[in-house]
Amino acid sequence: MHTLFDSDQHWHGKIWSDGWTSAAGGHADVIEPANGAALAATGIGNADDIDRAVTSAATAQPAWAAITFSERARILREAARLMQLHAEEFNRWNVRECGSTTAKAQWELAQCCEQLHMAAALPMQPDGLLFPSSLPGRSNQWRQIPIGVVGVISPWNFPLLLSLRSVAPALALGNAVVLKPDTQSAVCGGLLLARLFELAGLPQGVLHVIPGGPAAGQALVAHAQVGMIAFTGSTAVGRAIGQHCGQSLKKVALELGGNNAQVVLADADLDAAASNGAWASFLHQGQICMQAGRHLVHRSVAALYAEKLAARAKALHVGDPYRGQVHLGPLINARQRDRLHGLVTQSIAAGATLLAGGHYDELFYAPTVLAGVTPEMPVYHEELFGPVAPITVFDDERQAIALVNGSPYGLAAAVHSRDVARATALGRQLRCGMVHINDQTVNNEFQVPFGGMGDSGNASRFGGPASVHEFTQSQWISIMDQPIQYPF
């Protein structure tokens, strides 16, 4: 069976930068969170590695932008074909390196193949507009052109999807890319993609993959030859990146944290709402920026909703996703587990009622439901990033809207009601980038622009037509049939 990585593991302990090479920053083990085993080793980049990669990318980019759009599209389509061909290998790494269930890994890969095909179509779309002129004989062209070198910093929770979401359109539109995946997903979110594009025929120097920590990220953000940073991660880190990019007048796309609300009105289908709530809170152990971190339920149905949600939580099986059929795998590391458990125990001490879960074994955290949660409790106002569903009651729609909008985050929300018009009218009053009626918060369709408001981002959007504007810059060219004779 052919694999992306040869059996001799020529990539072991390496980075991808003009071929497989040792990193000046050394190397680190790839750890399986389910059991702590070392799966492999990858190179870890430092500032010197980033500098060499960016310099190489800046050199390679003009030739890449100059090739025909059809050739760029062909390479992206070939990458999609190869990804599907090697789906088992991608999925295995996603399960073992990132703690994903098999179903989650399979969904992520399918969406990535779709992203590659969508990106392949971008360069054949109209790349500008023609504006009228008040001067006779003048035409005004407004066109989109590549930025140059795009730095992509991706997280560990959906490593394939959240790397390719930026890498694929950036490449399609003529940019070179330096990708810095998180060290906890360096293979799945980085080195597998490097090998994929190598086999797809991407010219050398156009893509560099440098796993690394904060020092590598800071070097990428600060590099003078990087024209744009696309970052997915925490709001705190995103603020720092945005501040630096603002000072250096560098384009930046930030998709940050969320504390997303599911609003359940009194007339909602409670079985469906509880199903949506469980999926949105517990999928991938809750380690999703769109996770339903707040369940806002009308007082008249709150007790029944809590009962139904707790029953669903108790029915879920937690364990090693590589060695058995489970609903939830491990949290990514002990630091995340301890932070989450602290939020739960502090909230229980403050008066929340534990209906399910609230305990863990190693990195396996039981799906947890808390009732009687108030806005003062940590599980209400903090981003959870774990399998915890806090339930807060409200008495009328005005109060529900105020609760949703009271959070500084504004990524996603869901509203449940049998009266679709009523739910939609409420949804239009929510300060969120994405609102889903009679659905759950963890939604993503890559033909639709994705992004948040407030502390969830800087108004950047990923997907669909938004990708063209995110990963290009505009240029105005005016053309006169004959030169103008000015007064002096």
Side-chain angles (χ1 to χ4, degrees), residues 286-307:
Q287 298 174 126
I288 307 173
C289 60
M290 296 172 285
Q291 174 204 22
R294 295 180 293 159
H295 296 243
L296 308 180
V297 187
H298 191 273
R299 189 178 300 276
S300 64
V301 296
L304 184 55
Y305 176 83
E307 178 184 327

Side-chain angles (χ1 to χ4, degrees), residues 118-362:
M118 289 183 63
L122 289 178
M124 65 184 70
Q125 301 304 311
D127 63 355
L129 296 170
L130 188 65
F131 287 89
S133 175
S134 59
L135 294 177
R138 169 184 273 180
S139 64
N140 292 312
Q141 300 176 4
W142 184 71
R143 57 195 289 259
Q144 303 301 125
I145 62 174
I147 290 168
V149 178
V150 174
V152 177
I153 302 175
S154 62
W156 47 263
N157 57 335
F158 280 74
L160 276 177
L161 187 153
L162 297 177
S163 291
L164 269 182
R165 179 177 70 176
S166 294
V167 170
L171 291 175
L173 295 164
N175 301 287
V177 174
V178 178
L179 167 63
K180 190 206 79 65
D182 193 285
T183 55
Q184 297 172 111
S185 55
V187 176
C188 186
L191 299 183
L192 279 176
L193 294 175
R195 179 65 172 152
L196 181 77
F197 280 106
E198 178 190 18
L199 295 177
L202 187 70
Q204 195 167 95
V206 175
L207 173 66
H208 300 256
V209 179
I210 316 291
Q218 290 167 8
L220 185 59
V221 171
H223 202 289
Q225 289 181 283
V226 173
M228 174 186 176
I229 293 292
F231 171 78
T232 304
S234 74
T235 296
V237 175
R239 283 188 193 279
I241 290 173
Q243 183 178 26
H244 186 96
C245 290
Q247 290 174 341
S248 59
L249 304 180
K250 182 177 300 187
K251 192 170 187 179
V252 61
L254 302 173
E255 199 264 286
L256 308 176
N259 189 7
N260 312 289
Q262 170 160 299
V263 180
V264 181
L265 301 181
D267 65 343
D269 179 333
L270 293 186
D271 287 319
S275 173
N276 279 260
W279 183 264
S281 284
F282 305 141
L283 176 65
H284 193 43
Q285 300 79 265
Q287 298 174 126
I288 307 173
C289 60
M290 296 172 285
Q291 174 204 22
R294 295 180 293 159
H295 296 243
L296 308 180
V297 187
H298 191 273
R299 189 178 300 276
S300 64
V301 296
L304 184 55
Y305 176 83
E307 178 184 327
K308 291 177 179 292
L309 185 60
R312 289 179 179 273
K314 292 174 183 177
L316 298 177
H317 182 54
V318 183
D320 185 341
Y322 186 63
R323 294 167 177 84
Q325 292 293 322
V326 300
H327 298 102
L328 281 75
L331 296 177
I332 193 67
N333 58 43
R335 179 176 56 82
Q336 292 281 87
R337 178 204 63 201
D338 293 344
R339 174 187 173 276
L340 177 71
H341 194 59
L343 296 175
V344 170
T345 55
Q346 291 165 31
S347 297
I348 293 173
T353 301
L354 180 66
L355 300 181
H359 57 84
Y360 64 86
D361 180 12
E362 299 294 336

Side-chain angles (χ1 to χ4, degrees), residues 8 18 59 80 105 120 181 227-228 238-239 324 332 382 402 413 424 429 462:
D8 63 359
D18 294 314
T59 300
M228 174 186 176
R239 283 188 193 279
I332 193 67
E382 296 285 340
T424 303
Q429 299 177 68
F462 299 87

